[in-house]
Amino acid sequence: MAEPVVRIPDAKVALSTASVYPESTATAFEIAARLGYDGVEVMVWNDPVSQDIDALRRLSDFHRIPILAVHAPCLLITQRVWSTDPWTKLQRARAAAEKLGASTVVVHPPFRWQRQYARDFVTGIWRMADETDVRFAVENMYPWRYRDREMLAYAPDWDVTKDDYRHFTIDLSHAATSRTDAMGMVDRMADRLGHVHLADGNGSAKDEHLVPGRGSQPCAELLERLALTGFDGHVVIEVNTRRAMSGAEREADLAEALAFTRLHLASASRGAPGTPGAPASSASPAPSASSGPSRPSGPSGSPSPSSASRAAAPPQSGSHSSVPAPSAPSAPPSSSARSSRRSSARARRR
């Protein structure tokens, strides 16, 4: 009998700079490098460094960690970042991604009160995607709830699988908040799934963005499916660490999230299908976002759910003062110091 082998998919595990809030963008780069993340996703928001391409490039070079994705400034608190015009924001996000070597721009669907933007959004995203190699991955959102009331804040829809986009981002915390079957949504996204925001949630009306494994979402199941099907997008840890009592506690949470992700991405199998000892059944078709489908002519409905269909950022509302520009980062720690800190983090978690 063939021995099980561990297969590591091509997907890279990145840290969202939003995961260190209220700390700075520069701090996110430092932590990501120290913990061994494969890269970062830059959340463009009120921190001036997050808006400055040259500053971001210096951080990336200094910490020797690539920028894999750029999150366009789509939040309520970033309505005036880069511009008040939403299309200008997306153009600047695309330019930033191209200059920084990032492969993906994450974008939310419009707010309902952005009426013209919402009317043109689907066709506009296709047009922009046709002009670049950068993926525009549209992210699932959720209804806003207060007690027994519900407000549909996004248009065309918070459930982005109801519309025709070339690439999607699945956010499991948002799936929890919308009380949606996350794996069913992944099935509908199919091979258009290009980007993952990994965080957990328990179905609260608040967008929780818990460390994976601390809520009710199928974080492990999703990662194992991505591993088995050869997903080649990025998996981004986007968790809320605002309640951390210290930098060490925040870093321990982010180390735990990375360990969880790497564990479940390393799928154990008896070998590739068709080889001796391989499992008899094969995995479902691979969600690969390396090249999206050509746009169908004429109106298109949402992707059909699979027959196997089964029954997470910084705050979305409110206001925060601008985060001051951080001072120059300290020199990267030595490899022995990084190893010591990882050991300390593991000890604390035990």
Side-chain angles (χ1 to χ4, degrees):
M1 180 179 294
E3 291 296 322
V5 297
V6 174
R7 298 186 299 170
I8 307 297
D10 292 334
K12 290 182 169 61
V13 183
L15 178 66
S16 169
T17 59
S19 295
V20 306
Y21 180 84
E23 296 294 335
S24 67
T25 300
T27 300
F29 276 82
E30 183 180 351
I31 291 175
R34 183 158 56 243
L35 294 181
Y37 278 84
D38 298 318
V40 299
E41 174 180 299
V42 174
M43 171 66 79
V44 180
W45 61 331
N46 295 330
D47 182 343
V49 171
S50 73
Q51 306 169 30
D52 187 329
I53 293 174
D54 291 335
L56 292 170
R57 183 182 291 112
R58 287 194 296 271
L59 283 169
S60 177
D61 291 344
F62 184 82
H63 292 288
R64 300 179 183 178
I65 190 163
I67 296 170
L68 301 179
V70 174
H71 196 310
C74 306
L75 310 179
L76 281 176
I77 62 171
T78 60
Q79 291 299 288
R80 296 185 178 277
V81 171
W82 274 356
S83 174
T84 56
D85 175 63
W87 290 116
T88 300
K89 291 173 181 282
L90 296 190
Q91 290 164 359
R92 292 190 64 171
R94 178 184 65 190
E98 291 171 342
K99 292 176 181 178
L100 294 168
S103 63
T104 304
V105 168
V106 180
V107 57
H108 294 179
F111 293 112
R112 296 192 73 87
W113 54 84
Q114 297 174 304
R115 294 181 181 179
Q116 187 61 50
Y117 177 48
R119 278 194 293 267
D120 298 337
F121 185 68
V122 177
T123 56
I125 289 293
W126 271 98
R127 183 180 64 252
M128 294 190 72
D130 286 339
E131 297 169 351
T132 181
D133 291 332
V134 173
R135 302 169 181 171
F136 280 86
V138 185
E139 184 173 3
N140 63 301
M141 297 305 292
Y142 47 85
W144 292 359
R145 293 190 179 92
Y146 179 71
R147 294 182 180 174
D148 59 345
R149 297 183 180 182
E150 183 175 287
M151 174 184 174
L152 300 179
Y154 299 96
D157 204 283
W158 60 263
D159 182 353
V160 293
T161 64
K162 293 182 178 180
D163 292 287
D164 177 28
Y165 301 108
R166 180 173 291 173
H167 292 114
F168 294 107
T169 296
I170 183 72
D171 185 305
L172 294 188
S173 178
H174 295 178
T177 304
S178 64
R179 298 167 189 171
T180 298
D181 170 15
M183 295 307 293
M185 181 171 281
V186 169
D187 287 336
R188 295 194 297 276
M189 291 178 174
D191 62 355
R192 298 187 185 200
L193 175 60
H195 200 68
V196 174
H197 279 172
L198 192 67
D200 219 327
N202 287 310
S204 166
K206 297 179 180 179
D207 186 18
E208 297 170 286
H209 283 272
L210 304 177
V211 170
R214 297 184 185 179
S216 61
Q217 289 303 288
C219 297
E221 182 181 358
L222 173 61
L223 291 169
E224 288 162 9
R225 177 181 300 187
L226 296 179
L228 290 170
T229 55
F231 175 73
D232 65 350
H234 304 316
V235 178
V236 178
I237 303 300
E238 191 183 70
V239 296
N240 184 341
T241 63
R242 280 176 288 169
R243 293 187 178 181
M245 300 301 292
S246 65
E249 184 178 340
R250 172 175 291 106
E251 197 160 323
D253 284 346
L254 298 177
E256 178 183 331
L258 177 61
F260 179 99
T261 305
R262 290 244 168 92
L263 171 66
H264 292 285
L265 278 176
S267 63
S269 69
R270 295 186 182 276
T275 61
S281 60
S282 60
S284 57
S288 172
S290 56
S291 59
S294 59
R295 189 178 186 187
S297 58
S300 171
S302 58
S304 299
S306 162
S307 59
S309 177
R310 285 163 287 181
Q316 298 291 331
S317 60
S319 61
H320 298 275
S321 59
S322 297
V323 182
S327 57
S330 56
S334 65
S335 58
S336 61
R338 291 182 185 177
S339 176
S340 175
R341 292 178 188 181
R342 290 194 192 102
S343 299
S344 298
R346 286 195 295 268
R348 283 193 297 273
R349 290 198 302 277
R350 295 194 186 102

